[in-house]
């Protein structure tokens, strides 16, 4: 049976949660007396939570015929992102050697 809604309440709820996470990150960055490293960890954690929220609410990761394929695609995308970020940091940190 197809469940049909006229107004996408889950999308509105996801949007409001994303806005809340963004405003919390901005408040932590602008109005806190914590150290720089702690602020970066908090903002990074909020960013990961927001990415998961958006995958769940807007990208419909849990929907579809084959959830295993969706999981494999997400794991592969995370792996690619880690390789790109780690490689960029490595090159920028140790790329100043003379040849």
């Amino acid at each position: 049976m197809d469940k049909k809604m006229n107004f996408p309440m889950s999308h509105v709820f996801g949007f409001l949660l994303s806005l809340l996470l963004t405003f919390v990150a901005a408040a932590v960055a602008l109005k806190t007396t914590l150290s720089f490293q702690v602020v970066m960890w908090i903002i990074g954690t909020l960013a990961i939570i927001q990415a998961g929220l958006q995958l769940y609410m807007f990208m419909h990761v849990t929907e579809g015929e084959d959830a295993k394929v969706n999981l494999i695609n997400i794991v592969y995308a995370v792996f690619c992102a880690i390789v790109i970020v780690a490689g960029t940091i490595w090159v920028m940190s140790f790329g100043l050697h003379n040849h």
Side-chain angles (χ1 to χ4, degrees), residues 29-79:
L30 298 174
K31 305 274 185 184
T32 189
T33 59
L34 298 172
S35 70
F36 177 76
Q37 189 173 16
V38 172
V39 170
M40 288 294 113
W41 275 104
I42 292 171
I43 291 174
T45 303
L46 290 172
I48 291 171
I49 292 170
Q50 187 171 2
L53 173 77
Q54 290 181 3
L55 278 172
Y56 180 75
M57 292 291 210
F58 302 123
M59 300 303 289
H60 308 287
V61 171
T62 57
E63 296 176 6
E65 295 177 15
D66 196 7
K68 188 175 182 180
V69 172
N70 288 340
L71 180 64
I72 291 170
N73 289 338
I74 290 171
V75 169
Y76 180 67
V78 168
F79 172 75

Side-chain angles (χ1 to χ4, degrees), residues 78-92:
V78 168
F79 172 75
C80 288
I82 290 171
V83 167
I84 290 169
V85 170
T88 301
I89 291 171
W90 179 58
V91 168
M92 291 177 71

